[in-house]
Amino acid sequence: MVAENGTTPTDLVEEKLDQARKILRQNDRGTYTIPARGLYPFQWNWDSCLTALGWATFDEGRAWTEIETLFSAQWDDGMVPHIVFHKEDTGYFPGPDVWATGKSPATSGITQPPVAATCVRQLIETARDKETALEFGARLVPKIAAWHRWFYAARELNNSGLVVSIHPWESGADNSVDWDASLANVPVDEIPPYERRDTEHSVAEHRPTNSDYDKYLTLVHRYSNLGWKQSEIAPVAPFRVADLFVNSLLQRSNIDLQWLVEYVGASHLTEEVDGWVKKGKMGLQSLWSEPQQSFQPYDYAADQSITSISASTFLPLFAHATEPAQTQALVKRLWSWRDHTRYLVPSFDPTDPRFDSKRYWRGPVWAIINWMISDGLTAAGHGDLAKIIADDTRALIDQSGFREYFDPENGQGLGGDCFSWTAAMRLTWLSAQPVEAD
Ligand code: DGY
């Protein structure tokens, strides 16, 4: 269909994709991409891997550089840190002086949901230059395996198949309602006075609260006082949660690593990775709550299940870890959430009084989480719902811009603007279908 001004749906799609490419170029710092100017001026772990998927649609070499740069900051013990502070920037808090990890390049001391294997697999599968892809893949596979090995060595408790996060920032979903009770048990220590910088770049009411930040900083100082010795931290961490972001994404990455090991011929890793795949599935299954008909994170510090329901309950679909009856229950829940919000998938249960459509991980929609849920639904044979989620996400981006997150009730764009991973999702997952012209 051609609009009165002569614009076709294909032109509209091209315009959006052009804007997305421009955002990646603007956020490009040569060998890594910042998530967004001002708010996040360094390299973030999962942002980077997911952003590489966007780069790959128009510059495969740049996509590989992104992942290689991230792994150049891998710790000797295998951990891949959540932030790499390649250059100084006083616009972000807490910076390298607060983390005090003593690493070069300077890094934070915690990790983030592991998506490297999943993204590297996708880069290889979609590569036009297969030879280069194989070279990079072969170099990255042992490093990714070292990271997964670290998860099980430093973070698995009681041979459960589950790894714990020691900081809400590790889950990626900083201020999720899921952590409220766990954080309430974290005492606020006497910590040096500090000034937040995030609220200078984004609306304070849409960000975590000051009391959240007091806890976040307390945890950073506690672990820094333990010299960032990871295996000593996990057993005593005041925040110690088996969350569904890290565990689901780790399990999906285990599966994708299995594929990668085979693809690059790293057969010495086969048995070990097979073992992770088995235990990862077992761990996720142990988080299923029959009474709630959902997957629930577990608070190891309090030794109890977390009962609030966030969008992370759908992530075991992405991990291919659900049994048919569980899939049905999750699908039913998603349809019921659709009755409460205009756009799927709110990051928190919209029927719960704690739902907040504008505050970061307490309600808003995130494009990358939608991609994961939609991908999992497609694999589980629910393409109809997967398509609704894709259409909703595309509509949000096209109406409200390449924002960090979106209000699921009115579609308002929130948080950082010109956001790299939102642009990457538009270039990859959402590029296929033309938007419909009025
Ligand atoms: C932040 O600063 O908001 C991040 O989520 C921490 O990584």
Side-chain angles (χ1 to χ4, degrees):
M1 194 196 298
V2 180
E4 266 171 32
N5 63 4
T7 317
T8 66
T10 315
D11 295 337
L12 291 175
V13 173
E14 260 321 303
E15 192 186 312
K16 293 294 168 195
L17 298 184
D18 254 1
Q19 286 171 8
R21 286 187 280 263
K22 206 179 275 166
I23 287 171
L24 294 198
R25 288 197 193 100
Q26 277 167 0
N27 290 342
D28 185 11
R29 294 295 173 269
T31 54
Y32 65 96
T33 315
I34 59 167
R37 274 189 289 182
L39 193 55
Y40 303 114
F42 308 107
Q43 184 175 29
W44 261 259
N45 184 327
W46 68 332
D47 288 80
S48 224
C49 295
L50 293 160
T51 297
L53 301 179
W55 276 116
T57 62
F58 62 104
D59 187 343
E60 279 178 14
R62 184 61 191 76
W64 288 115
T65 303
E66 187 75 30
I67 312 254
E68 283 231 307
T69 307
L70 176 66
F71 276 86
S72 71
Q74 184 167 31
W75 286 20
D76 289 345
D77 63 5
M79 186 182 83
V80 184
H82 102 294
I83 308 176
V84 190
F85 302 103
H86 293 285
K87 283 189 197 147
E88 263 187 45
D89 193 314
T90 50
Y92 179 80
F93 179 86
D97 49 326
V98 178
W99 288 97
T101 57
K103 302 289 173 191
S104 179
T107 72
S108 68
I110 56 174
T111 192
Q112 244 178 352
V115 288
T118 301
C119 294
V120 168
R121 176 177 176 175
Q122 185 165 320
L123 292 187
I124 290 178
E125 285 185 321
T126 57
R128 291 171 292 279
D129 180 352
K130 293 284 182 210
E131 204 179 312
T132 305
L134 180 59
E135 258 170 52
F136 277 98
R139 275 212 298 276
L140 284 164
V141 161
K143 298 180 186 184
I144 299 173
W147 187 18
H148 289 211
R149 191 175 299 120
W150 170 85
F151 267 112
Y152 290 110
R155 296 299 184 74
E156 184 186 12
L157 296 185
N158 314 332
N159 214 12
S160 57
L162 292 169
V163 299
V164 290
S165 297
I166 57 166
H167 197 293
W169 286 339
E170 276 199 331
S171 72
D174 306 3
N175 67 337
S176 169
V177 177
D178 290 352
W179 321 139
D180 285 0
S182 312
L183 273 187
N185 293 332
V186 174
V188 176
D189 294 345
E190 291 272 329
I191 49 172
Y194 67 91
E195 208 179 310
R196 289 178 65 173
R197 307 304 305 270
D198 59 316
T199 44
E200 290 167 21
H201 306 291
S202 187
V203 182
E205 287 69 38
H206 303 166
R207 293 281 305 170
T209 62
N210 286 339
S211 61
D212 289 334
Y213 259 75
D214 285 344
K215 306 271 175 139
Y216 299 160
L217 267 295
T218 291
L219 293 170
V220 171
H221 286 287
R222 286 251 184 140
Y223 304 150
S224 171
N225 290 339
L226 289 171
W228 293 111
K229 292 194 198 78
Q230 296 291 336
S231 47
E232 288 175 27
I233 295 173
V236 298
F239 183 91
R240 199 154 79 244
V241 162
D243 80 86
L244 285 159
F245 291 90
V246 168
N247 282 287
S248 303
L249 274 45
L250 177 60
Q251 175 58 3
R252 171 60 182 262
S253 287
N254 283 334
I255 293 170
D256 291 325
L257 185 56
Q258 220 172 17
W259 183 93
L260 287 169
V261 160
E262 169 113 22
Y263 187 81
V264 307
S267 53
H268 62 288
L269 292 170
T270 304
E271 203 182 319
E272 190 179 21
V273 178
D274 287 354
W276 297 336
V277 169
K278 267 196 206 104
K279 69 155 81 179
K281 167 104 193 254
M282 176 194 84
L284 281 173
Q285 275 299 313
S286 73
L287 295 180
W288 176 254
S289 159
E290 198 53 35
Q292 286 191 272
Q293 289 290 293
S294 61
F295 288 92
Q296 298 299 137
Y298 194 84
D299 181 340
Y300 273 94
D303 199 10
Q304 62 188 21
S305 183
I306 292 169
T307 54
S308 47
I309 300 182
S310 72
S312 70
T313 194
F314 306 112
L315 291 178
L317 289 165
F318 185 62
H320 303 173
T322 59
E323 298 300 337
Q326 294 165 343
T327 304
Q328 290 305 333
L330 294 175
V331 165
K332 191 169 157 211
R333 185 177 299 277
L334 266 172
W335 283 116
S336 79
W337 281 17
R338 192 160 191 255
D339 293 337
H340 289 86
T341 58
R342 162 68 188 82
Y343 298 94
L344 284 177
V345 177
S347 48
F348 189 65
D349 181 355
T351 67
D352 185 306
R354 293 166 291 183
F355 170 79
D356 178 341
S357 68
K358 295 199 188 311
R359 204 185 273 274
Y360 213 39
W361 289 94
R362 301 175 79 88
V365 174
W366 292 73
I368 53 132
I369 299 298
N370 276 11
W371 167 60
M372 292 170 192
I373 296 172
S374 178
D375 179 277
L377 285 167
T378 304
H382 292 273
D384 50 345
L385 195 45
K387 181 174 179 317
I388 289 174
I389 293 173
D391 289 346
D392 277 4
T393 318
R394 189 183 305 100
L396 285 168
I397 296 173
D398 290 354
Q399 288 157 24
S400 305
F402 294 86
R403 301 299 298 263
E404 185 178 9
Y405 43 98
F406 303 89
D407 184 324
E409 286 172 341
N410 63 12
Q412 186 190 355
L414 304 164
D417 201 357
C418 297
F419 218 84
S420 294
W421 70 14
T422 309
M425 288 298 111
R426 187 68 178 89
L427 284 166
T428 51
W429 172 43
L430 302 171
S431 72
Q433 280 159 280
V435 277
E436 274 163 27
D438 287 334

